[in-house]
Amino acid sequence: MSTPHPQQAAGALPHEPEKATLEGRNKVLGFWLFLGGESVLFGTLFATFLTLRNQVADGPSASELFSLPMTAAATFILLVSSLTSVFAIQAMHRGNRTSLARWLGVTVVLGLAFLILEIYEFAEYIIHDGYGMTTSAFSSAFYTLVGFHGAHVLFGILWISILIGQLFKKGLTVVTAPKIYVSAMYWHFIDVVWVFIFTVVYLLGKVVG
Amino acid sequence: MTDHDLDGGAVKHRHRQEGPQKHVVAFIFSIILTLIAFATVAAGGVNTAFTVLLLLVMAVLQVLVQLGYWMHLKDKGHMIPIIFMAGGFFVAGTAIVAALYWMWW
């Protein structure tokens, strides 16, 4: 399955460089185990949020608080960034380092846009509405769940930025390729979590808040 | 699929060197699912139970697109990753059901 390509010239990068070495394959497999664990982490945060979502104390309820256009914008930004990270991996499979770095760069910029939008949203709630972490059980659960996702986005931005630097320093090799592949998996997973957040927290908050 | 593998060389190479079309289709599909979800909520007036069900179905479909196409779980040789992810989702689901059960029933 992942044997080197027959037409591959000696010394050239294999078609799927992330799976060319045992270490690379193990990294990808190990990362899947990590993502399984991350699913559990976010599952417990969702469980907490769903349990406490109606305990709004004196604060506003979900349907009064959230703005659909802002959530929609954040959703589309993250979805597009997921597509650009797919393009990055396709560029990597073509062995095109410049195109790979460019698509990773676009992904990072979109991630930053998402993060700025989220910070703006939180600032709006906290500073403008005076609705902070300790206002109610609902607000604690909300900031914890959505903030944890935001922290994952921030980590992804830093991680992929460092990988772009490494790509220019060390080139696209069977050592750097698995790192890039795994960071793209991580980025898709961030979008998977966001799909549940915009559905369960924002949209259901509007419908049954 | 197996024909391509048996053909080896050229065909296999072309087969694996997939273009962006498939992923653009998956992307458009995801956009449509997202639009349906947001439009239903924005329009309002739809039966609440139906809306909740619709939103959850849209979310699950979109997650399947991400995991299946963009993270390649639908490709062969991904049995162990599927077990890892299914295990994670199972524990996550159990935590959600258990928390809601303990608190509200």
Side-chain angles (χ1 to χ4, degrees):
Chain A
M1 187 187 70
S2 33
T3 46
H5 194 270
Q7 290 182 331
Q8 179 198 322
L13 205 62
H15 170 57
E16 290 184 325
E18 74 278 8
K19 292 173 186 158
T21 63
L22 179 63
E23 192 183 331
R25 290 195 291 277
N26 282 345
K27 262 183 194 157
V28 174
L29 186 64
F31 203 77
W32 278 112
L33 185 59
F34 168 73
L35 290 185
E38 287 271 275
S39 307
V40 176
L41 169 74
F42 278 103
T44 55
L45 292 173
F46 272 106
T48 311
F49 176 80
L50 285 169
T51 314
L52 301 172
R53 60 187 294 278
N54 292 319
Q55 313 310 107
V56 295
D58 296 328
S61 68
S63 61
E64 292 162 341
L65 195 63
F66 299 145
S67 131
L68 276 189
M70 195 147 65
T71 311
T75 303
F76 286 115
I77 290 171
L78 210 57
L79 193 58
V80 172
S81 81
S82 216
L83 182 69
T84 58
S85 70
V86 169
F87 289 161
I89 296 303
Q90 287 188 323
M92 184 175 88
H93 286 168
R94 288 194 304 271
N96 188 337
R97 187 177 73 167
T98 316
S99 174
L100 165 59
R102 199 174 295 141
W103 283 118
L104 288 179
V106 174
T107 307
V108 166
V109 169
L110 288 169
L112 266 177
F114 175 89
L115 203 62
I116 289 167
L117 203 59
E118 184 156 287
I119 291 168
Y120 171 77
E121 182 196 353
F122 280 15
E124 186 87 341
Y125 297 157
I126 295 167
I127 298 162
H128 185 259
D129 302 341
Y131 190 61
M133 184 83 179
T134 54
T135 305
S136 67
F138 161 69
S139 77
S140 306
F142 167 76
Y143 286 123
T144 308
L145 171 60
V146 181
F148 240 88
H149 176 267
H152 274 74
V153 174
L154 176 63
F155 182 80
I157 290 170
L158 296 174
W159 183 12
I160 296 173
S161 302
I162 291 167
L163 286 181
I164 294 172
Q166 207 173 49
L167 201 56
F168 283 113
K169 200 163 172 236
K170 303 191 173 178
L172 177 57
T173 67
V174 291
V175 178
T176 51
K179 302 182 187 185
I180 290 159
Y181 188 82
V182 152
S183 74
M185 285 169 64
Y186 176 83
W187 199 259
H188 289 312
F189 183 77
I190 283 177
D191 197 38
V192 166
V193 174
W194 181 254
V195 169
F196 283 118
I197 289 182
F198 85 69
T199 302
V200 172
V201 177
Y202 291 92
L203 292 185
L204 288 186
K206 278 285 180 194
V207 175
V208 287
Chain B
M1 187 87 90
T2 38
D3 296 354
H4 287 207
D5 290 347
L6 290 173
D7 272 347
V11 179
K12 188 173 184 177
H13 191 74
R14 195 168 52 214
H15 175 69
R16 291 170 124 203
Q17 195 93 43
E18 54 190 23
Q21 300 89 352
K22 195 181 75 176
H23 295 294
V24 171
V25 170
F27 174 73
I28 292 169
F29 188 59
S30 300
I31 290 278
I32 291 171
L33 292 173
T34 309
L35 281 178
I36 292 173
F38 275 91
T40 311
V41 175
V46 190
N47 178 293
T48 304
F50 175 77
T51 310
V52 171
L53 189 68
L54 181 81
L55 291 179
L56 292 178
V57 170
M58 295 299 123
V60 168
L61 283 178
Q62 197 172 332
V63 163
L64 286 179
V65 170
Q66 284 273 352
L67 290 171
Y69 285 86
W70 288 359
M71 298 169 85
H72 302 287
L73 274 187
K74 70 161 189 55
D75 296 357
K76 55 182 181 155
H78 280 76
M79 193 40 109
I80 303 226
I82 287 172
I83 292 170
F84 287 168
M85 288 308 283
F89 274 78
F90 176 75
V91 176
T94 309
I96 291 166
V97 171
L100 286 172
Y101 178 78
W102 274 328
M103 293 300 285
W104 301 119
W105 270 284

